[in-house]
Amino acid sequence: MDPPPRFLCGLRQRECLDVRGGSVLSHWRRRTPPPESTRTADDLRSFVTDAHAEMASKLPPLWVNKTMEIRGLGTREPRRGDDMEKLARALQGMIGFGASRVRLQYMVDQVAALLGAALVGIWLEDKTDLVPVAVGGRAADYGRELVFSTRDDVPHGQGPSGRAYRERRPVLFDPRRVSSRLWRPGRERYVLGPSLAVPLVFEHQVFGVIGLYVTRGKSISPRMRIMMEILAPIVSMMIKDQRDRTLLEERSKGLSTLISAIQVLGRVQSEDELMTEFGDIAIQVLGANGGYILLHDEENWTSLKMFGLLTGYETELGPILMRLIRLNPPRGDLVSDPFDFRRRTGRYRDILEQLQFRSGISGQLEVEGRLAGVFTLWSYEPDFFNNKQYVLRALAEEVSTALELLRVRNRLIAGARTDPLTGLANRTGLQEKLDELAAEGRRYSWPFLFVLLDLDHFKHFNDTQGHPEGDRLLREVAAHLRRATRPFDLASRLGGDEFALLLARCGPETPGIQQRLGALLGELSQTFEGLGVSAGVSAFPEDGEEFRELYRAADQRLYEVKRRGRGQIGWPGEVFQPL
């Protein structure tokens, strides 16, 4: 009994095969295909067994029992139903292989022998190309050389596999009807004839194609086509399952490593240390090859830290980056290829190309809903950060939280060390600075001076002008002292109208120090009419090495100055300098 011309074993040629819960659901052309649903691939053996049973149930009894000879590689296939049994055994044997590519290679080898094909291969997407991952048959060497393009502007480079990928349908290619110079040399060398490419589609996502080539003079039989259409969803499930497992493993590994690294962020003591730890995490955990982080305070971009291959370019790239960020600050979430550097010219692009960076990603840090910093990471590999955005997003949130806690802590510490009215250091801040200078003095034999000064007649001014005017006067005095001191000196307000100065690396015998201090306080007395200034000075280490000892010595000399009539500076050795 010969089979009908457009039917294969009682099945329509365009039968719809779907996977749901590990079984095959066949629907006739007149029926509506089932809706898309979640599909699983936990048990390939069950899948193939169900497929075999359903296929056998649809075959006419006489056709199932009839022996049919199919010539291929000199073998004889006794029954059509045996194809599914051999395919089931081949797929069951795949379970013993761990690596996904090894399983696929075993499968294509078995299918090539089962169908008598000269070449059976699987090509998967890789950017804009389909590259071979498993090729079997006597023409396997030719298959490993084939790379198909999926781009619209490369029609001749697509081949049947490229067309099947783009159009999502099986494509039959007959070289006798369609001539292609691109594929002719290889086909003639291996004596290849027609080929069939079936797309690998799962849940509306195309992964690649599975292709079959026969020897010249043969044709793609309906048997081959139905077997390829059965194999396509199985391979699609395998690839989807493997990719999901790989992605889950990468995410689990990345997040576990990231959690361990993030614990370090909670122990940082400064913004510079925070930026250093961020760079270490980006290089060691995420695998970036270089990058930078730039922090912003309430007014300006302040701190820049480069790491990886960009280390050492702070001076050269700092002004360029700050200008680019001011003109085009990052908005929203992560941005790939920040600043679109490939379209730019100048030193920034030259350095990136010199370091051979091919992909980058940028993000922002927020503190209390405001922009607090930006970061950019670079890599040698194209599209390196596509699968790492979830880790980067988590890292950015943790760094933002650590930065916020750090700034809140610094404000609290600064508030505990700062006088709220004038902004100068208070008694606590003065004592900490004095202890620091004392430690340096003992280590390097550096002297310093402790100056205690008091505003004369301030109580009368406060009573006559009012407390608001008195507060304004104190702020102006503080601003005057702040401008007059050097960066390594310290001006502080101890309370009321009492101020103090720490003058580092100088002593009573330092040339010109008495004249400079006298000019400073004299200018202060002349600036605020009706007020005067009196001061007492103590020296480290002659008058003591601790805050209490130096304060007592300076206070005694200030008391003596006021007893003598104010408007003077009391120096060690009973020297009184009028202002």
Side-chain angles (χ1 to χ4, degrees):
M1 177 179 178
D2 296 327
R6 296 197 59 189
F7 289 84
L8 175 63
C9 307
L11 292 179
R12 294 184 182 275
Q13 201 171 18
R14 295 182 59 187
E15 181 178 358
C16 176
L17 298 179
D18 194 3
V19 182
R20 178 177 298 175
S23 63
V24 174
L25 300 178
S26 298
H27 295 263
W28 299 96
R29 185 188 304 173
R30 63 178 178 269
R31 297 183 180 180
T32 303
E36 191 71 27
S37 61
T38 304
R39 304 169 179 178
T40 62
D42 296 334
D43 195 348
L44 290 176
R45 181 181 305 178
S46 174
F47 176 88
V48 177
T49 303
D50 294 345
H52 181 200
E54 186 168 355
M55 289 286 294
S57 65
K58 292 181 174 24
L59 297 178
L62 294 177
W63 185 263
V64 174
N65 298 326
K66 181 178 177 59
T67 300
M68 176 181 177
E69 296 183 0
I70 299 179
R71 298 186 180 276
L73 297 182
T75 61
R76 294 167 60 91
E77 297 294 340
R79 288 187 177 88
R80 178 76 62 158
D82 292 343
D83 289 346
M84 294 303 300
E85 295 178 1
K86 293 182 179 182
L87 178 60
R89 288 196 298 268
L91 295 177
Q92 290 170 5
M94 293 166 49
I95 301 176
F97 297 97
S100 60
R101 291 206 176 193
V102 178
R103 294 199 300 268
L104 294 177
Q105 184 62 48
Y106 175 82
M107 185 191 70
V108 296
D109 289 338
Q110 296 296 317
V111 172
L114 174 64
L115 298 179
L119 171 63
V120 175
I122 297 174
W123 287 263
L124 298 184
E125 59 180 350
D126 183 13
K127 301 181 180 62
T128 60
D129 294 326
L130 296 174
V131 297
V133 295
V135 182
R138 64 174 181 81
D141 292 339
Y142 172 66
R144 296 187 186 98
E145 299 174 357
L146 293 178
V147 176
F148 304 100
S149 176
T150 60
R151 294 168 52 184
D152 296 336
D153 57 344
V154 191
H156 296 292
Q158 294 171 359
S161 297
R163 286 180 54 199
Y165 177 89
R166 291 184 59 248
E167 299 175 9
R168 298 193 178 193
R169 65 177 182 85
V171 173
L172 182 64
F173 178 80
D174 191 345
R176 294 172 298 180
R177 299 179 181 178
V178 182
S179 176
S180 176
R181 296 180 180 179
L182 184 62
W183 316 112
R184 185 180 301 168
R187 286 179 175 270
E188 292 180 351
R189 184 168 73 248
Y190 291 93
V191 198
L192 296 179
S195 62
L196 172 66
V198 181
L200 303 176
V201 185
F202 191 79
E203 295 180 350
H204 302 295
Q205 183 178 359
V206 186
F207 301 103
V209 295
I210 179 170
L212 178 144
Y213 293 73
V214 296
T215 307
R216 185 185 303 169
K218 295 184 178 182
S219 61
I220 302 295
S221 65
R223 169 179 176 251
M224 293 180 178
R225 180 162 183 170
I226 195 65
M227 291 290 288
M228 294 289 285
E229 291 178 351
I230 290 175
L231 279 175
I234 298 176
V235 176
S236 300
M237 285 192 303
M238 290 176 55
I239 297 173
K240 174 65 174 177
D241 182 66
Q242 182 62 33
R243 290 188 176 183
D244 290 345
R245 290 175 183 271
T246 303
L247 182 60
L248 182 60
E249 291 175 359
E250 290 180 355
R251 290 190 174 185
S252 299
K253 181 180 178 181
L255 288 176
S256 61
T257 309
L258 182 62
I259 290 173
S260 301
I262 284 175
Q263 294 177 354
V264 181
L265 298 177
R267 299 193 294 266
V268 297
Q269 300 297 321
S270 65
E271 293 186 3
D272 184 72
E273 188 178 353
L274 175 66
M275 294 189 294
T276 300
E277 293 296 339
F278 174 82
D280 292 342
I281 294 174
I283 297 296
Q284 298 175 12
V285 177
L286 299 179
N289 300 119
Y292 69 86
I293 179 172
L294 184 61
L295 298 185
H296 183 270
D297 59 11
E298 296 180 357
E299 298 179 357
N300 301 310
W301 296 96
T302 55
S303 305
L304 173 65
K305 181 73 174 180
M306 293 192 171
F307 42 86
L309 296 180
L310 285 178
T311 302
Y313 287 96
E314 288 87 351
T315 303
E316 186 173 3
L317 290 184
I320 299 176
L321 292 175
M322 291 183 183
R323 183 173 66 254
L324 289 176
I325 292 174
R326 281 196 299 267
L327 295 175
N328 185 23
R331 296 179 177 88
D333 204 356
L334 303 173
V335 179
S336 298
D337 290 337
F339 313 124
D340 199 8
F341 76 95
R342 291 183 180 85
R343 298 184 181 179
R344 294 184 176 274
T345 59
R347 184 57 179 159
Y348 185 41
R349 171 172 176 160
D350 293 342
I351 292 176
L352 295 179
E353 291 186 345
Q354 175 185 346
L355 298 175
Q356 300 181 359
F357 290 148
R358 291 296 176 266
S359 64
I361 193 167
S362 180
Q364 64 181 22
L365 307 175
E366 293 185 354
V367 172
E368 297 177 353
R370 294 179 295 180
L371 181 65
V374 297
F375 65 88
T376 297
L377 305 180
W378 296 102
S379 174
Y380 293 145
E381 302 179 21
D383 305 321
F384 178 76
F385 300 99
N386 286 357
N387 296 328
K388 300 181 182 296
Q389 295 193 8
Y390 66 97
V391 179
L392 271 174
R393 195 172 292 109
L395 177 60
E397 292 177 357
E398 293 297 331
V399 173
S400 299
T401 302
L403 181 61
E404 182 176 3
L405 293 176
L406 186 62
R407 290 185 173 180
V408 169
R409 183 178 63 185
N410 291 340
R411 285 199 297 268
L412 293 176
I413 294 175
R417 300 173 180 173
T418 306
D419 175 60
L421 178 63
T422 61
L424 297 180
N426 59 13
R427 183 181 293 267
T428 301
L430 176 68
Q431 184 168 356
E432 290 183 357
K433 180 65 174 179
L434 189 145
D435 293 340
E436 178 183 337
L437 292 179
E440 291 181 353
R442 286 188 290 268
R443 185 180 303 114
Y444 303 109
S445 300
W446 289 344
F448 65 86
L449 295 176
F450 179 90
V451 182
L452 188 63
L453 55 95
D454 186 84
L455 301 180
D456 298 332
H457 312 298
F458 177 74
K459 184 177 182 304
H460 176 72
F461 179 89
N462 211 17
D463 292 340
T464 56
Q465 301 295 329
H467 289 281
E469 285 297 317
D471 292 343
R472 182 188 61 81
L473 176 63
L474 292 176
R475 286 193 291 267
E476 292 181 1
V477 170
H480 186 87
L481 295 177
R482 188 183 295 108
R483 290 191 301 266
T485 52
R486 299 168 297 180
F488 45 85
D489 295 334
L490 180 71
S492 66
R493 177 179 177 239
L494 302 183
D497 61 343
E498 188 177 43
F499 293 82
L501 298 174
L502 286 177
L503 305 180
R505 303 179 187 179
C506 60
E509 306 302 328
T510 301
I513 185 62
Q514 295 187 8
Q515 290 77 11
R516 289 198 296 271
L517 183 59
L520 168 63
L521 300 186
E523 180 182 352
L524 186 62
S525 299
Q526 296 173 3
T527 302
F528 305 102
E529 185 177 355
L531 293 179
V533 178
S534 300
V537 180
S538 59
F540 173 90
E542 291 84 355
D543 292 320
E545 298 185 358
E546 296 181 358
F547 177 81
R548 182 171 49 185
E549 298 171 345
L550 294 172
Y551 181 87
R552 184 187 302 112
D555 186 59
Q556 290 176 353
R557 292 175 182 130
L558 175 61
Y559 176 78
E560 184 63 24
V561 165
K562 290 196 172 187
R563 191 181 66 82
R564 288 172 171 265
R566 297 187 173 89
Q568 302 179 66
I569 302 176
W571 290 88
E574 301 297 327
V575 176
F576 296 93
Q577 175 188 0
L579 299 178

